[in-house]
Amino acid sequence: MSYGGLGELFELTAAPSAEPAPRVRKRRSPAVRVIGNVILIAAATVVVVAALRAGSVHAPLLLVIALLTGLRLVTIAAAAVRPPRTIRAGAGGGSESARAVDSLRATVRRWERTLDKAHSDSDTYARNVLPVLGELADERLRLRHGITRAGDPARARELLGEQAWAVLSNPGRHGLKTRDLETYVQAMERL
């Protein structure tokens, strides 16, 4: 069973998205990063020691190196947890390209397109929507009752109800009706 969430479930079976993927920056090799940080600390050490000596203050060289190394590690850690940069385009709250980068919106749009297509295409319904509903039902049953549909079918059938059980166990059923889907979702929410 997959634990990656709904996005992963839809991505496995849905058609590829027409939206462009966000650009990913290439990372430098670890050796280049280490050498760069050593050079940075060495240069900062020279500047700090020169400034201290100009002010007639003598500090142990190892203490200066340790402090600058600690400062660099803190800046690296802060950069690692920094939120991604957003593109601002005036008072409108962002340009269209900035909104397209929002992965949550892209995922929700993909779900909406899949569900809209499932209304008219029974193959899309059977291939994309039913497996996701089954995964959701299994996950709810596992979290709330410690069972799955395959592990304890009698108990799962009792908890889901006859209508939801029939839909999830008979993938050959065609078409998606909104009121039926609402019934199945309500059955899963009751779990």
Side-chain angles (χ1 to χ4, degrees):
M1 183 185 302
S2 172
Y3 294 103
L6 291 176
E8 181 181 323
L9 291 173
F10 274 118
E11 286 172 8
L12 292 175
T13 56
S17 175
E19 297 172 4
R23 268 189 353 200
V24 178
R25 264 181 64 190
K26 287 188 176 182
R27 295 188 61 142
R28 293 183 290 172
S29 72
V32 172
R33 282 187 279 152
V34 169
I35 291 170
N37 283 323
V38 167
I39 291 171
L40 180 67
I41 291 171
T45 301
V46 169
V47 170
V48 168
V49 168
L52 289 173
R53 296 228 170 123
S56 298
V57 176
H58 295 289
L61 183 61
L62 289 178
L63 177 64
V64 172
I65 292 172
L67 289 173
L68 290 173
T69 302
L71 179 64
R72 182 62 186 147
L73 289 174
V74 168
T75 59
I76 290 171
V81 297
R82 175 183 62 218
R85 295 180 184 160
T86 59
I87 302 170
R88 301 221 183 242
S95 67
E96 195 63 35
S97 64
R99 282 188 232 127
V101 176
D102 184 4
S103 62
L104 179 60
R105 282 192 181 137
T107 303
V108 169
R109 284 189 196 119
R110 189 172 55 249
W111 294 345
E112 288 173 345
R113 283 191 306 270
T114 301
L115 289 172
D116 285 342
K117 187 176 177 186
H119 279 289
S120 59
D121 184 11
S122 60
D123 187 44
T124 300
Y125 174 69
R127 192 177 66 245
N128 293 348
V129 177
L130 277 178
V132 173
L133 288 176
E135 286 282 334
L136 286 172
D138 280 340
E139 187 66 13
R140 295 286 290 214
L141 286 168
R142 185 187 66 79
L143 289 174
R144 303 285 171 109
H145 303 283
I147 63 169
T148 61
R149 290 178 301 146
D152 190 356
R155 178 83 173 123
R157 184 178 201 153
E158 176 187 326
L159 291 168
L160 284 170
E162 278 303 316
Q163 287 182 325
W165 177 262
V167 168
L168 295 174
S169 63
N170 184 11
R173 184 174 173 167
H174 298 291
L176 172 67
K177 294 182 177 77
T178 304
R179 69 174 184 275
D180 292 340
L181 186 59
E182 288 175 3
T183 303
Y184 312 143
V185 171
Q186 288 174 359
M188 283 186 259
E189 286 177 353
R190 280 193 314 262
L191 295 176

